[in-house]
Amino acid sequence: MSHRATEPDISADFDTVTGTIDRNIYGHFAEHLGGCIYGGIWAEPGTELPTLRDMRMDVLELVRALRPPNIRWPGGCFSEYYHWEDGIGPVESRPWRFDWKWKKPEPNVVGTHEFVDFCAEVGAEPVVAVNVRTGTPKEAAAWVRYCNSPRTTPDGARRAANGDPEPFAVKLWDVGNESWDLGAEESAQRFLAYCEAMKEADPEAKLVAVGSSGWKEEWNRTMLQVAGEKLDYIAPHHYDGWRGRDLAKGEGHYYANVASACRIEDTMRRTAELLDEMLPHRPEVGVSLDEWGVWTEHKQGLQHNYDLSDGLVAASAFNGMHRLSHRVTMANWAQLVNCLGMIQTDATRVCVTPVYLAFRLYSKHCGGERVESSVRCDSFDVPEDIRSGLTGLPYLDISATRTPDGNRCALAVVNRHLTDDIETTLALTGVPDAATVTVHEMNAPECFSLNTLDAPDTVTIREQQLYAVPATYRFPAHSLTVVVMSTA
Ligand code: AHR
């Protein structure tokens, strides 16, 4: 069902700043799972592809283009059984282990040094997840010292002997992962024990505590009651998405999928509100949505492709993060390559998904500061018999941002309408004089179009230069448009 408003209009005043956006929301996640690490970021042994210290150059370049602020590693669930000392020292001496979570062998060819090297190559900060399930606070603290101590200390000297004299300066640490089965009280107590040991190893370490799956008030309340004075972030996970992709069964399937972003935003909003309620004296504590995404299939190795509608979910979720920027300060899409990956590879080829394209547009052009903006347009309901509780959602979902110097302004608009372009009045003020106006549009022939290794260019970004800041614009059906007005 569709609700009619008046003529659609969007306004944004780029002189009125309403918040700061932390770049860490455009973060990523790479787990030892499926084809993410081995055969994804790192090349298969014997490959003839160009590599850099065994990393695939084609993947490396695509990741660099995302300007990733951070990458979370080594899991996920993998981290719950990982012992970091297995992954240091000469590669030929590292032990093979069995990964009890994902039921596969782990060769430990990629360990801390390799991961930090990858992060440095793509310009990202490492986010390292310590093992709280089968590890100990002592083991986690030793990892912190190994990474961050100067080479004049025993731990730093050990790192130096393994090839890296300079400290890795890992500041962001996840304390545990999805320990929901342990209960919130036990997880919070473990957080405190790890926190004490890890902060002794490096008082500057920033620690992320396990949050709920989606929104679960009781879990988050307990975690904040017990550990709220010590944690730096609380990290809910939210996977969403609607599996039905058959328009012959009705347009409701498309709307059910794009509305996933509203559910993701709801999790973030409620977690942010709980922080405001329980930790008003600690405004620096953030929500880190450290696993999020669209997950609708369970194939081998969690190999997963994304279509245009999934890219629109990612874009709308970013608009939501911008709206909640006072508390949502980090997020990691699950995941980077192949396994739930926004980048897809086989032995010789690579292609990017619409989720990748949305990330590239937001990470490159949006963020910095949020400015005053509003939108008026028609809205839609997801049919109750398909997915309930998703009503009155505006077709146009927007955010307006600028760089702190005001020299680059960006308006991001997702038109979620399945069939209709939406002609919109635009009142954009505070744009610097003589700004160059470029429109970047992600779209494709169909809402469920996707890119594959055989047909990699079905969903694309089209760029167009305008002569002036537009007073009206026609936003195409099922598209993301980012209007960039820049003097740089
Ligand atoms: O991202 C895949 C898996 O999903 C992660 O290992 C786990 O944390 C989550 O359940």
Side-chain angles (χ1 to χ4, degrees):
M1 190 217 278
S2 176
H3 307 279
R4 298 233 32 106
T6 51
E7 291 308 304
D9 68 58
I10 289 174
S11 69
D13 176 5
F14 291 95
D15 279 334
T16 306
V17 174
T18 54
T20 302
I21 296 166
D22 195 316
R23 263 196 66 71
N24 272 332
I25 62 169
Y26 308 122
H28 297 272
F29 173 34
E31 180 167 13
H32 288 237
L33 173 56
C36 186
I37 298 290
Y38 301 110
I41 299 169
W42 281 269
E44 298 281 8
T47 185
E48 291 185 357
L49 293 174
T51 57
L52 177 72
R53 296 186 294 285
D54 295 331
M55 291 174 272
R56 281 179 67 147
M57 281 306 302
D58 52 359
V59 173
L60 215 48
E61 275 158 19
L62 286 171
V63 177
R64 275 190 195 127
L66 288 170
R67 301 176 65 230
N70 68 68
I71 302 172
R72 176 176 181 248
W73 171 87
C77 294
F78 177 80
S79 63
E80 299 173 49
Y81 299 88
Y82 182 65
H83 298 284
W84 66 272
E85 287 182 290
D86 292 342
I88 60 168
V91 170
E92 54 289 359
S93 320
R94 296 184 195 172
W96 282 67
R97 299 284 187 208
F98 191 72
D99 167 5
W100 289 102
K101 169 64 195 182
W102 299 113
K103 311 272 184 290
K104 60 174 176 51
E106 168 55 47
N108 283 306
V109 168
V110 171
T112 309
H113 291 256
E114 290 76 16
F115 172 64
V116 170
D117 183 30
F118 167 57
C119 287
E121 276 303 327
V122 298
E125 253 201 86
V127 181
V128 176
V130 302
N131 177 350
V132 170
R133 185 176 295 274
T134 59
T136 62
K138 194 170 160 212
E139 181 187 15
W143 200 0
V144 175
R145 284 196 306 273
Y146 183 83
C147 288
N148 293 352
S149 302
R151 72 181 105 157
T152 47
T153 64
D155 297 284
R158 191 173 171 212
R159 182 194 62 246
N162 286 329
D164 280 294
E166 290 309 313
F168 293 146
V170 178
K171 288 295 161 229
L172 295 163
W173 297 86
D174 269 16
V175 181
N177 177 73
E178 297 190 351
S179 52
W180 304 315
D181 56 313
L182 301 178
E185 176 69 33
E186 172 65 17
S187 295
Q189 292 299 344
R190 288 194 193 190
F191 177 90
L192 290 177
Y194 275 69
C195 175
E196 195 180 337
M198 292 170 75
K199 291 254 184 179
E200 195 183 321
D202 180 358
E204 301 297 310
K206 297 273 177 232
L207 303 185
V208 184
V210 174
S212 58
S213 171
W215 170 247
K216 308 265 178 342
E217 180 173 344
E218 205 183 317
W219 176 282
N220 296 319
R221 211 170 255 291
T222 305
M223 181 59 80
L224 293 180
Q225 251 150 16
V226 177
E229 297 306 322
K230 299 287 181 187
L231 50 78
D232 298 292
Y233 298 88
I234 185 162
H237 287 180
H238 193 128
Y239 291 97
D240 215 285
W242 184 252
R243 196 180 172 135
R245 304 278 156 140
D246 185 357
L247 285 179
K249 292 190 182 141
E251 61 177 29
H253 287 265
Y254 160 77
Y255 286 115
N257 195 43
V258 290
S260 301
C262 306
R263 290 162 46 95
I264 295 170
E265 185 170 346
D266 189 61
T267 293
M268 294 189 287
R269 174 177 299 105
R270 288 170 185 241
T271 316
E273 283 169 359
L274 194 66
L275 285 179
D276 290 342
E277 178 203 316
M278 294 183 70
L279 299 178
H281 54 291
R282 297 198 66 209
E284 74 281 10
V285 173
V287 177
S288 171
L289 189 67
D290 70 8
E291 282 183 35
W292 71 283
V294 174
W295 187 351
T296 50
E297 300 178 312
H298 285 262
K299 289 193 181 150
Q300 181 70 20
L302 304 188
Q303 191 72 29
H304 199 290
N305 201 351
Y306 299 108
D307 64 31
L308 176 61
S309 67
D310 301 321
L312 301 183
V313 173
S316 278
F318 279 138
N319 290 343
M321 291 180 203
H322 294 173
R323 286 186 274 271
L324 298 166
S325 67
H326 75 293
R327 283 289 191 182
V328 177
T329 49
M330 186 151 65
N332 306 77
W333 176 271
Q335 300 195 10
L336 190 51
V337 187
N338 290 326
C339 163
L340 299 171
M342 65 172 71
I343 299 171
Q344 308 270 309
T345 71
D346 66 7
T348 55
R349 299 174 299 172
V350 66
C351 77
V352 300
T353 65
V355 171
Y356 172 96
L357 296 175
F359 260 75
R360 207 173 69 193
L361 285 178
Y362 276 81
S363 175
K364 186 160 180 207
H365 302 296
C366 303
E369 293 173 335
R370 188 183 72 235
V371 302
E372 190 71 56
S373 67
S374 70
V375 58
R376 199 164 43 152
C377 63
D378 294 350
S379 58
F380 64 94
D381 298 341
V382 177
E384 282 291 322
D385 58 333
I386 295 185
R387 224 176 174 190
S388 63
L390 295 165
T391 55
L393 310 176
Y395 283 115
L396 297 179
D397 179 45
I398 72 158
S399 70
T401 56
R402 55 168 250 185
T403 48
D405 62 10
N407 286 340
R408 196 189 64 221
C409 304
L411 173 71
V413 180
V414 184
N415 178 4
R416 306 189 271 207
H417 205 294
L418 175 63
T419 53
D420 293 2
D421 298 355
I422 300 183
E423 177 84 30
T424 312
T425 306
L426 294 180
L428 307 181
T429 54
V431 177
D433 290 341
T436 306
V437 184
T438 313
V439 178
H440 307 257
E441 180 196 306
M442 176 175 77
N443 209 345
E446 311 285 342
C447 67
F448 295 139
S449 293
L450 42 76
N451 294 336
T452 64
L453 292 163
D454 291 325
D457 296 316
T458 308
V459 187
T460 55
I461 295 173
R462 196 173 60 96
E463 254 181 61
Q464 189 197 353
Q465 199 94 18
L466 303 184
Y467 293 108
V469 176
T472 61
Y473 196 84
R474 193 177 182 88
F475 295 99
H478 54 63
S479 70
L480 162 65
T481 304
V482 181
V483 183
V484 182
M485 295 149 284
S486 165
T487 54

